[in-house]
Amino acid sequence: MNKANNKEELIKYLMIIIGTTITAMGINIFYSPYHLVTGGLSGLAIVVEYVSKNTLGFGVPLWLTNLLVNIPLFIIGIKLKGKSFAGKSIFAAGFLSLALWYTSYIPAVKADLLIAAVFGGVLVGVGIGLVLRASATTGGTDLLATIIKHYFRRLQISNVMLGIDSVIITVGLFVFGVEKAMYALISVFIISKVINSVLEGINYSKAVHIISTKSEEVSVALMKELNRGVTGINGTGMYTGGDKRILFVVCSKNQIVALQKVVTSIDDKAFITITDVREVVGRGFTEPQFDIPRNEA
């Protein structure tokens, strides 16, 4: 058991290293050169680098701002929540600073603002998604929001984070102009979508509910033709008061047309609802399918 736990922890730390590296690449290759402030500590670091370069004659590196801001935040967070609160997040925040340093030597890609916003959003979204899947965060505004939430318990942490990021994006608007702020918002939207895809899975499946007076025949046909398991759920028609058998099937999106043909060929009055499923764990998807005999031609 300990070996399994150690292997799982090692995998999570590797995910953090890969995730923070990808995030840093998105920031250094696309965001910083084109002054796209998408909120978060990275957005603040971009503003600090630009302002310091124009006022002091040298730019404060992104990795240094990330490190200097996170240190006091983690100290406060540990004092308020205890050592267990920080966990892998200290490693993730520290390694992000390191990654921001060594990826700063990668040349920026020559592109227009739209390409920078799109590809920067994809990289940062994938990177943050991997870190979150490892049960960690990179600190920054997430950590600040948690600290604020500790003192103002009535506030929702999502609203606090939105407020902090809005302030940073607004600062970027005044420093870099409206146009770049608009492209930054496009990137924020892409980041959120990519993070959701990483966390919830990108292999979309379909969940199907079927109500038919010929549920027995339909279920047998689906198992034979599609090689998918079918679950029967007892229900009651509230208008007729009669008993109903609701069939529940999860299949790949490529099988959905075949499923409808199978059902309607048996019962053209069947009621079918189809919904998206983000990720499926179990036999036929993450495990081998059932060996269900098919009809012979």
Side-chain angles (χ1 to χ4, degrees), residues 124-243:
V124 172
V126 169
I128 294 176
L130 288 174
V131 172
L132 291 175
R133 287 206 74 147
S135 303
T137 70
T138 55
T141 54
D142 294 358
L143 184 54
L144 179 57
T146 302
I147 294 171
I148 294 173
K149 168 71 174 176
H150 179 82
Y151 290 104
F152 301 94
R153 299 184 183 277
R154 292 185 178 181
L155 296 176
Q156 292 185 351
I157 195 165
S158 59
N159 292 336
V160 177
M161 289 176 62
L162 178 62
I164 296 171
D165 286 339
S166 298
V167 170
I168 294 173
I169 291 173
T170 302
V171 171
L173 185 152
F174 283 106
V175 174
F176 300 118
V178 175
E179 182 182 12
K180 291 185 177 180
M182 292 172 69
Y183 280 105
L185 290 175
I186 293 174
S187 198
V188 169
F189 177 79
I190 294 171
I191 289 172
S192 66
K193 292 298 181 182
V194 174
I195 288 175
N196 287 337
S197 295
V198 173
L199 293 178
E200 300 175 5
I202 58 175
N203 296 319
Y204 291 95
S205 297
K206 298 289 185 178
V208 184
H209 289 86
I210 305 161
I211 302 175
S212 169
T213 56
K214 301 177 180 179
S215 58
E216 200 70 37
E217 296 173 51
V218 170
S219 63
V220 172
L222 289 175
M223 287 188 286
K224 287 184 177 180
E225 298 298 325
L226 302 185
N227 199 26
R228 292 293 180 192
V230 181
T231 301
I233 304 170
N234 293 325
T236 303
M238 299 309 294
Y239 179 73
T240 63
D243 292 336

Side-chain angles (χ1 to χ4, degrees), residues 84-102:
S84 60
F85 164 77
K88 300 182 198 67
S89 296
I90 290 180
F91 177 81
F95 203 90
L96 177 59
S97 291
L98 180 62
L100 285 168
W101 169 69
Y102 62 70

Side-chain angles (χ1 to χ4, degrees), residues 29-30 34 108-117 119:
I29 296 174
F30 294 106
Y34 295 96
V109 175
K110 291 183 179 180
D112 58 30
L113 284 172
L114 181 59
I115 291 176
F119 282 90

